[in-house]
Amino acid sequence: MPKKTTRTSIQKVLEKIRPVWIERVGGELARGMEVRAGFEEQLARFFDLLEQSVTTGDPAWLDSILLDWAKSSTETDLEEGLYHVSYLINRMIALTIQVARETLTKQQALDLLAAVIPVYTYGLGVVARYEMETRVEHISSEMAKVQKEMERIDRSKSAFISVAAHELKTPLTLIEGYASMMEDLLRENKGMSLESLVAGIGTGIERLRTIVDDMIDVSMIDNSLLKLNFQPIQVSQMIEALSVEFAAILRKRRLRLDIQDHDGSRQWIHVDPARIMQALRNVINNAVKYTPDGGTITITGRKLPGFVEVIISDTGIGISPENQALIFEKFAQLGRVELHSSGKSKFKGGGPGLGLPIARGILEAHGGSIWVESEGYDEVRCPGSTFHILIPARSDAPDPDMAKLFDTLERKK
Ligand code: ADP
């Protein structure tokens, strides 16, 4: 049977080129690709299967190793659009031709190529199909992710607009009301005092300003545009200033503010005092808002390596575990429009939900952090909340010129 003879002689030819082939393919391809463990062993296995395919006339013998290789492509390969295994086979074809030319007679080389090229072509088909399918799958899953993210952004965008409109409407209505009352009075020319009406307009304008300022701060934090003006200050000085600011509200709400001196509170540190006070103010303001009348707000702290920690706890309604991370995200209160604009310091008077995200942004810009601990949310039992604020205790102000210099050097690299 002539066919049989051809197969045996092909087998011999294959055996002849085997060591050179493994060395050549291994040498060239192990360099270009990330070297996978035991690449030469893999090539030897491939060569055995190639031989098997040629002698049995069934190229499917190669399926298992080709799929193994194709599957070992990583997520990064997919993202970078690399087609490792198709490339590998294409190079193998070229190298086989090269090796055949160098080591075999012309006839042997022709016989060999006639036998192996169909097997390689089959292999290329298997791999290309697999790589295409995986790529399509990868792209579809990426598209699904993008779609989901776009939907989320879209939802938060429209929720943002609804909350912003709601928040801005309250002070506007206030201003409108007082202004029209003023107009009436002026028209009737009653000569009545306009003082309380002007004060009403003032309150409305102040609220509008706070809301707009908060929105600007959030967008600056989001775009890493927050500029810090480092000055030496003590934590106790900032807390004392804030206690003066809050005195009237605390009296009105019959809340006790207990400020405790602690290790580190009188240490001189370099921070942006206005920004750190803004962060602390937001936390204290929440303690006021979410603590029923008659409660206590305690401010204490401790010194930690490289940080001064400020601890602000209240005897308020507490925060459920699932909300403890969420409240630092902007517009976490979005779902509950009914809570909005019920008052700046009133019990449970919700706001635009920007206070804590701003506090976190400010602390993170300093290299610090903020988190909360609370047993849970219970308006009757009032388990309270404890906010921990880590402020880096820099002994010097960072030199922005130095940072710029290193940044330029880094970019030049
Ligand atoms: P808001 O403008 O809604 O007060 P914040 O970002 O300041 O926005 O706070 C987000 C949410 O976190 C609040 O609406 C409230 O539900 C919760 N929260 C913050 N501080 C406290 C606290 N001390 N006690 C209970 N809940 C709090």
Side-chain angles (χ1 to χ4, degrees), residues 59-76:
W61 281 99
L62 283 179
D63 285 3
S64 60
I65 191 163
L66 291 175
L67 291 179
D68 278 357
W69 284 352
K71 275 183 200 153
S72 74
S73 291
T74 59
E75 192 72 6
T76 341

Side-chain angles (χ1 to χ4, degrees), residues 39-71:
F39 190 53
E40 291 220 344
E41 270 162 46
Q42 298 258 346
L43 286 179
R45 188 180 146 215
F46 178 89
F47 203 87
D48 289 343
L49 293 168
L50 179 73
E51 222 174 296
Q52 195 94 315
S53 301
V54 170
T55 48
T56 58
D58 178 9
W61 281 99
L62 283 179
D63 285 3
S64 60
I65 191 163
L66 291 175
L67 291 179
D68 278 357
W69 284 352
K71 275 183 200 153

Side-chain angles (χ1 to χ4, degrees), residues 42-294:
Q42 298 258 346
L43 286 179
R45 188 180 146 215
F46 178 89
F47 203 87
D48 289 343
L49 293 168
L50 179 73
E51 222 174 296
Q52 195 94 315
S53 301
V54 170
T55 48
T56 58
D58 178 9
W61 281 99
L62 283 179
D63 285 3
S64 60
I65 191 163
L66 291 175
L67 291 179
D68 278 357
W69 284 352
K71 275 183 200 153
S72 74
S73 291
T74 59
E75 192 72 6
T76 341
D77 294 345
L78 283 169
E79 267 154 28
E80 290 172 3
L82 301 174
Y83 295 83
H84 277 323
V85 189
S86 325
Y87 169 78
L88 190 81
I89 304 217
N90 272 314
R91 287 305 300 152
M92 277 180 176
I93 298 176
L95 292 172
T96 309
I97 296 172
Q98 213 181 72
V99 172
R101 246 199 225 132
E102 290 166 16
T103 46
L104 303 174
T105 65
K106 229 177 200 157
Q107 188 54 49
Q108 281 176 327
L110 280 175
D111 287 348
L112 173 78
L113 294 179
V116 296
I117 287 197
V119 179
Y120 275 133
T121 314
Y122 165 86
L124 214 47
V126 170
V127 171
R129 209 172 318 121
Y130 182 83
E131 283 182 338
M132 259 310 143
E133 276 166 15
T134 335
R135 190 157 305 280
V136 168
E137 237 168 67
H138 176 72
I139 293 172
S140 323
S141 92
E142 287 294 296
M143 288 201 1
K145 268 190 233 158
V146 172
Q147 175 82 16
K148 245 188 169 160
E149 184 58 17
M150 301 239 307
E151 280 168 12
R152 200 189 62 80
I153 291 173
D154 212 50
R155 265 199 314 276
S156 71
K157 206 168 66 189
S158 63
F160 165 71
I161 292 169
S162 117
V163 165
H166 200 89
E167 286 293 333
L168 296 172
K169 214 169 120 186
T170 315
L172 264 184
T173 315
L174 206 71
I175 294 171
E176 227 168 41
Y178 282 114
S180 87
M181 271 152 61
M182 271 171 80
E183 246 173 52
D184 289 349
L185 279 179
L186 287 173
R187 200 174 312 119
E188 289 162 20
N189 205 4
K190 286 219 177 104
M192 240 174 85
S193 157
L194 294 179
E195 228 165 83
S196 67
L197 301 183
V198 175
I201 291 183
T203 314
I205 291 175
E206 196 189 303
R207 280 227 65 192
L208 272 179
R209 169 151 302 283
T210 332
I211 296 165
V212 172
D213 282 350
D214 277 1
M215 287 176 165
I216 293 172
D217 283 349
V218 158
S219 92
M220 288 213 291
I221 288 167
D222 273 359
N223 297 301
S224 311
L225 291 174
L226 204 64
K227 290 257 179 321
L228 298 178
N229 176 17
F230 284 87
Q231 306 285 335
I233 196 159
Q234 302 171 339
V235 165
S236 62
Q237 292 174 326
M238 295 189 275
I239 300 289
E240 270 155 34
L242 287 167
S243 79
V244 174
E245 267 182 42
F246 278 97
I249 294 170
L250 290 167
R251 235 186 343 265
K252 193 164 147 208
R253 294 278 323 282
R254 290 188 296 109
L255 294 168
R256 199 165 76 83
L257 180 62
D258 178 12
I259 299 175
Q260 297 171 0
D261 227 4
H262 59 87
D263 230 17
S265 66
R266 298 198 184 271
Q267 182 182 339
W268 287 96
I269 55 173
H270 282 78
V271 295
D272 183 329
R275 287 297 185 184
I276 293 291
M277 275 181 65
Q278 183 184 1
L280 294 169
R281 184 181 297 116
N282 289 353
V283 176
I284 298 173
N285 195 44
N286 281 341
V288 170
K289 272 199 301 191
Y290 301 102
T291 303
D293 293 10

Side-chain angles (χ1 to χ4, degrees), residues 360-401:
R360 182 176 75 170
I362 291 173
L363 287 155
E364 286 179 354
H366 277 82
S369 63
I370 176 169
W371 71 96
V372 66
E373 279 167 7
S374 173
E375 267 176 43
Y377 173 85
D378 190 333
E379 288 193 21
V380 181
R381 213 166 45 83
C382 280
S385 310
T386 301
F387 282 81
H388 296 258
I389 296 154
L390 273 191
I391 308 172
R394 295 172 184 270
S395 53
D396 281 311
D399 182 350
D401 288 339

